[in-house]
């Protein structure tokens, strides 16, 4: 801004140094910025705070397993054990194969899921970059997306839909339990069992017009179906910024 004597303030601002700026697109399709839930300064995220991660690249969905310290003073152990038992029971019902895996690492609810959806649209992703200052040079790499992590508890919601907590879900037959022994004869097993018939549901759908097909493809239900059908890809968590793998990724930004 010019002063009264016509000179500019920029002329009085001494230039100390100059640096070169490089644009590197090596990790442009793999670089994400995450916003974690805010924690107080005395509870920072440690190197071992996360045990696993998954991603859906097409729809830019991400999940992380955040570990919970069950030995801390404010952890409700009886309720944590109850939640873990309900979740494991629901998980065993959904997985019919023989390779059943435990959802939690112990008998307590020792982790929570941090999930995220894409916060940035396709036309704004190119506006953000990650910068690394190295050897008096500034290296910039475009960001694929900015993601905000939030806790989710879908594994607890599934316990309500599978009937966990209902006596029938634990294998009890209320009719047989309340019946007296005198009402059953010794030859009850020899009695002829009634034949059962199964119902078959048949649906007839008329040909879908181009207009309705276009509306269906633009609906949120169709988008959610495609999003849910995409398979999760497991990732490796590298929380230690001084590890060998972290240094290798850092060098790829300046190569």
């Amino acid at each position: 801004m010019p002063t009264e004597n016509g000179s500019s303030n920029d002329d009085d601002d001494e230039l100390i140094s100059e640096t070169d700026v490089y644009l590197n697109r090596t990790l442009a399709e793999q670089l994400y910025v995450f916003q974690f839930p805010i924690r107080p300064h005395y509870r920072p995220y440690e190197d071992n705070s996360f045990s696993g991660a998954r991603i859906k690249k097409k729809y830019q969905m991400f999940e992380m397993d955040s570990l919970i310290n069950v030995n801390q003073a404010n952890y409700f152990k009886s309720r944590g054990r109850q939640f873990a038992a309900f979740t494991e029971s629901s998980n065993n019902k959904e997985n019919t194969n023989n390779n059943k895996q435990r959802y939690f690492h112990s008998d307590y609810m020792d982790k929570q899921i941090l999930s995220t959806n894409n916060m940035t649209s396709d036309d704004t992703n190119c506006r953000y970059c990650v910068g690394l200052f190295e050897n008096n040079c500034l290296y910039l790499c475009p960001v694929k997306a900015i993601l905000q992590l939030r806790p989710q508890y879908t594994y607890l919601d599934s316990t309500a839909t599978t009937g966990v907590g209902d006596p029938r879900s634990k294998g009890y037959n209320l009719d047989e339990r309340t019946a007296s022994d005198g009402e059953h004869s010794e030859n009850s097993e020899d009695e002829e069992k009634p034949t059962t018939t199964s119902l078959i549901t048949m649906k007839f759908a008329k040909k879908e017009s181009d207009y309705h097909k276009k509306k269906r493809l633009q609906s949120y239900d169709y988008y959610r179906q495609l999003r849910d059908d995409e398979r999760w890809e497991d990732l490796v968590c590298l929380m230690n910024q001084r590890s060998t793998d972290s240094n290798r990724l850092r060098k790829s930004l300046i190569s």
Side-chain angles (χ1 to χ4, degrees):
M1 181 177 179
T3 58
E4 295 180 355
N5 56 6
S7 62
S8 176
N9 291 334
D10 295 338
D11 297 337
D12 300 333
D13 191 3
E14 181 182 0
L15 181 63
I16 299 177
S17 63
E18 294 182 356
T19 181
D20 296 330
V21 179
Y22 297 92
L23 181 62
N24 191 336
R25 295 183 176 272
T26 304
L27 301 177
E29 296 298 323
Q30 305 175 12
L31 191 59
Y32 298 84
V33 174
F34 296 97
Q35 296 179 353
F36 289 87
I38 299 177
R39 280 190 175 185
H41 65 90
Y42 55 86
R43 290 182 56 226
Y45 289 100
E46 304 293 342
D47 294 343
N48 57 350
S49 298
F50 301 95
S51 60
R54 298 162 296 278
I55 190 174
K56 290 185 178 182
K57 293 182 179 180
K58 183 177 180 180
Y59 293 94
Q60 298 179 359
M61 298 179 61
F62 187 82
E63 286 186 355
M64 294 188 73
D65 298 334
S66 177
L67 299 179
I68 300 176
N69 184 11
V70 299
N71 295 320
Q72 58 185 350
N74 57 350
Y75 184 84
F76 195 177
K77 285 194 172 184
S78 60
R79 186 55 57 87
R81 181 187 289 270
Q82 181 183 14
F83 284 159
F86 286 172
T87 304
E88 297 296 348
S89 178
S90 175
N91 189 34
N92 293 336
K93 286 188 176 183
E94 294 178 357
N95 298 332
T96 57
N97 54 0
N98 296 328
N99 298 327
K100 296 180 179 180
Q101 297 181 355
R102 292 176 57 89
Y103 194 88
F104 297 107
H105 305 291
S106 64
D107 295 334
Y108 297 93
M109 180 180 170
D110 52 12
K111 71 176 182 180
Q112 67 175 353
I113 306 299
L114 298 180
S115 178
T116 177
N117 290 326
N118 186 11
M119 289 182 55
T120 56
S121 58
D122 295 336
D123 58 343
T124 59
N125 285 347
C126 58
R127 299 181 183 180
Y128 298 93
C129 291
V130 170
L132 180 63
F133 195 77
E134 186 78 14
N135 297 328
N136 200 27
C137 296
L138 179 60
Y139 298 89
L140 300 178
C141 183
V143 173
K144 177 68 174 178
I146 298 179
L147 307 175
Q148 185 179 38
L149 294 171
R150 297 179 179 178
Q152 70 158 350
Y153 303 96
T154 54
Y155 48 90
L156 294 181
D157 297 337
S158 62
T159 60
T161 58
T162 54
V164 177
D166 190 345
R168 293 181 178 83
S169 65
K170 299 181 180 180
Y172 295 109
N173 190 324
L174 299 181
D175 296 335
E176 293 181 358
R177 187 177 58 179
T178 55
S180 60
D181 296 338
E183 295 178 357
H184 298 278
S185 60
E186 296 179 356
N187 298 328
S188 59
E189 297 180 357
D190 298 335
E191 295 180 358
E192 183 179 358
K193 297 182 179 180
T195 58
T196 58
T197 58
S198 59
L199 297 178
I200 300 178
T201 303
M202 301 181 64
K203 294 183 179 180
F204 298 90
K206 63 180 180 180
K207 185 178 180 180
E208 188 178 23
S209 63
D210 295 339
Y211 173 79
H212 290 89
K213 181 179 180 180
K214 182 179 179 181
K215 289 295 184 181
R216 179 176 60 84
L217 297 180
Q218 294 177 349
S219 64
Y220 176 75
D221 292 338
Y222 181 76
Y223 166 80
R224 183 176 58 181
Q225 180 182 359
L226 295 179
R227 183 192 62 185
D228 296 341
D229 291 342
E230 184 182 0
R231 298 185 60 181
W232 289 101
E233 297 183 22
D234 293 332
L235 302 176
V236 179
C237 294
L238 301 177
M239 300 300 297
N240 187 358
Q241 59 181 351
R242 298 180 179 85
S243 63
T244 304
D245 293 329
S246 298
N247 291 329
R248 176 178 54 83
L249 293 176
R250 189 180 296 106
K251 290 181 180 179
S252 63
L253 292 175
I254 61 177
S255 59

